[in-house]
Amino acid sequence: MNAALSAGALPALEARLREDLSRLELPARRWVVPRQHQGRAMIDVVIVGGGMAGLTTAAALKFLGIEALIFDRSPAGFEGPWATTARMETLRSPKQLTGPALGLASLTFRAWYEARFGMAAWAELDKIDRLHWMEYLRWYRQVLGLPVRNEHCVEAIEPHADGRVVLRVRHAEQVFEVLARRVVLATGRDGLGGSWVPAFAQTLPRARWAHSADELDYARLRGQRVAVVGGGSSAMDVAATALEAGARGGDLLVRRADLPRINKGKGAGSPGMTHGYHGLPDAWKWRIRQYVNRQQTPPPHGSTLRVSRHPNARFNLGCPVLEASEHDGALHLRTPKGICVADFVIFSTGFRVNFDSRPEFSALAPHLRLWRDRFEPPVGDEDDELAESPDLGPTFEFQEKSPGVCPGLSRVHCFCYPAVLSHGAVSGDIPAISEGAQRLAQGLASLLFQEGIDAHFAAMERYAEPELLGDEWQPSDSSHFIPIR
């Protein structure tokens, strides 16, 4: 039944979307004045990353008549974490959120899901299956005709003072250069760095531990004692996956004395926060984000139950790992409550800005202004993660630490998680991804127009399509006027 439904309903949805776009006059015709450098064409905008943020940005730009090209290092259909490293069963976001739909009802996940599985299935759905979300994003890319170059790895980004950004791109065995006027980094949760692990991880054999964001064959953990460091959503996901794969035991080692119960960030969600946060004074931005970090986000209800239903799962609260070592082939994790013995450790310890781990940003990193370069938080409200966040301009652009040292730096725009302190949660999370992408796209449209204003004015002067031909009226004489005396 579902297959038959899909066969007719999905094409009908796509036809409805085409009608919606036509009625809205979308996409706009291309209007950006083409530019070249030494005879080589420059792309209006290059987007690095073809996940949800990159696709939504490309769509928003396309609707505004701006050429964008996406490079993604992953094979087609496997961009982002959804079908690779993510281990959750469902998304935590409520199913009704419109996500990357850019205000178009026919582009929402709900419209796609009802076309695939029917309205009754939507009514029964609790949370979105992560693989269905990936399938939806594949459809989103296809139905909008977004230009993604898969298995293309950006190895260097170099801004220049003359208005170009040079990207070195590797595809298969070939390396080539691309010239862009603007570059958007839609590089996800680890956008300007990578996964973070505590220092004691380096004392353990590398083959005996992984980060929750690593690709890992969980089948190899069958029969092993697995310790998971952390108590957030990814910790629950990987612990449950390990136990489901047959791990002999799963110890969650949680620093806090209790798991957080309330998602404070969700409590602040509103159009006011989405559109007003980036205009707040710095002190308020820091206060909000530091509070969310300090309170922490609880793991999802379902994810936690997924772990606790295993009798060999153990929640060890108030149990930070103080040091680690290997003894007689076993891993010993010393905690205030004693030594946890494991065969394999998974660190669910998040991500940090770390330019040393991202050589493609080496030309940018020394010159970026970070929040720690200009903002001093109140005593007691220090936060190393926030301090390392880039201090972004109104169009998510990087800014120079020392003005004039790296001309062209502002042509690179940070539309990934580290933008959250400057702009709020609009550059990676599902709830406000459309608003963030539209803010970015409109800002880029403004900048591109201003750069080409001479050509746009000249085009206006040349414009000569008449609306009146001169034969629509006859000049009358003045015989009916009263003579002036």
Side-chain angles (χ1 to χ4, degrees), residues 37-91:
H37 177 77
Q38 297 180 351
R40 297 173 57 192
M42 298 174 63
I43 300 170
D44 294 342
V45 181
V46 165
I47 300 170
V48 182
M52 179 181 69
L55 293 177
T56 313
T57 301
L61 289 167
K62 182 174 183 175
F63 289 172
L64 292 179
I66 299 171
E67 177 194 27
L69 178 62
I70 299 174
F71 290 120
D72 192 281
R73 61 189 176 189
S74 303
F78 292 88
E79 305 84 0
W82 311 108
T84 54
T85 59
R87 297 295 169 185
M88 75 285 279
E89 292 180 318
T90 65
L91 277 59

Side-chain angles (χ1 to χ4, degrees), residues 381-461:
D381 287 343
E382 296 84 0
D383 187 309
D384 290 342
E385 179 184 351
L386 294 180
E388 294 299 314
S389 298
D391 179 28
L392 303 176
T395 312
F396 297 84
E397 72 271 24
F398 287 129
Q399 301 184 90
E400 293 176 280
K401 185 187 309 182
S402 301
V405 174
C406 186
L409 180 64
S410 62
R411 293 184 173 275
V412 183
H413 304 257
C414 178
F415 194 62
C416 51
Y417 182 79
V420 68
L421 180 54
S422 292
H423 279 267
V426 297
S427 56
D429 292 342
I430 290 171
I433 190 65
S434 282
E435 289 81 357
Q438 288 170 322
R439 184 189 305 168
L440 172 59
Q442 290 164 5
L444 290 170
S446 175
L447 293 169
L448 290 167
F449 177 77
Q450 292 166 21
E451 290 173 4
I453 187 58
D454 289 343
H456 290 302
F457 186 77
M460 185 171 64
E461 289 181 311

Side-chain angles (χ1 to χ4, degrees), residues 57-379:
T57 301
L61 289 167
K62 182 174 183 175
F63 289 172
L64 292 179
I66 299 171
E67 177 194 27
L69 178 62
I70 299 174
F71 290 120
D72 192 281
R73 61 189 176 189
S74 303
F78 292 88
E79 305 84 0
W82 311 108
T84 54
T85 59
R87 297 295 169 185
M88 75 285 279
E89 292 180 318
T90 65
L91 277 59
R92 73 183 299 152
S93 299
K95 66 177 183 179
Q96 68 270 17
L97 295 182
T98 57
L102 296 170
L104 296 166
S106 300
L107 197 56
T108 59
F109 176 85
R110 176 177 179 173
W112 174 86
Y113 191 87
E114 289 181 344
R116 285 278 282 111
F117 303 108
M119 295 179 67
W122 171 260
E124 295 172 1
L125 182 68
D126 177 29
K127 292 294 178 72
I128 298 171
D129 182 281
R130 67 176 171 85
L131 294 181
H132 282 158
W133 183 257
M134 184 73 248
E135 190 179 346
Y136 161 69
L137 291 178
R138 291 167 182 155
W139 173 80
Y140 183 101
R141 166 184 171 176
Q142 172 264 319
V143 77
L144 293 179
L146 301 177
V148 184
R149 302 291 182 265
N150 285 99
E151 300 180 70
H152 282 65
C153 183
V154 175
E155 296 187 333
I157 301 172
E158 299 178 358
H160 292 261
D162 58 8
R164 65 195 162 100
V165 182
V166 180
L167 296 95
R168 187 173 72 244
V169 183
R170 179 179 295 276
H171 176 59
E173 300 302 318
Q174 295 184 326
V175 178
F176 58 95
E177 284 190 349
V178 173
L179 303 184
R181 296 175 65 177
R182 299 277 168 175
V183 172
V184 172
L185 303 181
T187 43
R189 183 62 180 81
D190 61 345
L192 300 180
S195 51
W196 179 85
V197 295
F200 68 79
Q202 307 308 325
T203 66
L204 302 176
R206 186 61 184 88
R208 306 284 297 278
W209 65 267
H211 189 274
S212 56
D214 293 341
E215 292 193 35
L216 175 64
D217 178 11
Y218 280 77
R220 63 178 279 204
L221 302 181
R222 182 176 183 81
Q224 295 197 35
R225 297 164 295 184
V226 176
V228 176
V229 179
S233 57
S234 66
M236 300 301 163
D237 296 333
V238 297
T241 304
L243 291 165
E244 290 161 1
R248 186 175 9 148
D251 276 286
L252 282 156
L253 304 176
V254 183
R255 183 178 66 247
R256 285 190 163 219
D258 194 7
L259 294 178
R261 310 293 177 89
I262 300 170
N263 186 347
K264 295 290 188 177
K266 183 178 178 181
S270 71
M273 177 67 84
T274 299
H275 297 293
Y277 174 93
H278 71 287
L280 289 173
D282 291 343
W284 265 113
K285 290 181 179 181
W286 187 276
R287 182 178 180 183
I288 290 169
R289 296 310 310 176
Q290 200 270 342
Y291 178 73
V292 171
N293 281 1
R294 188 172 64 246
Q295 295 297 310
Q296 296 191 330
T297 301
H301 177 74
S303 298
T304 309
L305 289 176
R306 184 183 169 199
V307 178
S308 62
R309 64 172 168 247
H310 292 272
N312 53 344
R314 292 175 290 270
F315 290 75
N316 303 286
L317 302 173
C319 204
V321 179
L322 305 175
E323 62 180 26
S325 57
E326 183 180 17
H327 292 277
D328 299 325
L331 305 180
H332 285 202
L333 306 176
R334 189 170 69 85
T335 78
K337 296 185 175 183
I339 294 173
C340 176
V341 180
D343 300 305
F344 196 85
V345 180
I346 303 176
F347 292 97
S348 295
T349 44
F351 304 87
R352 296 285 175 87
V353 172
N354 179 8
F355 292 108
D356 291 339
S357 67
R358 302 294 288 266
E360 66 268 37
F361 303 142
S362 61
L364 314 174
H367 310 294
L368 298 181
R369 191 168 80 191
L370 306 178
W371 271 72
R372 62 172 165 79
D373 295 321
R374 68 164 185 83
F375 181 80
E376 185 174 345
V379 175

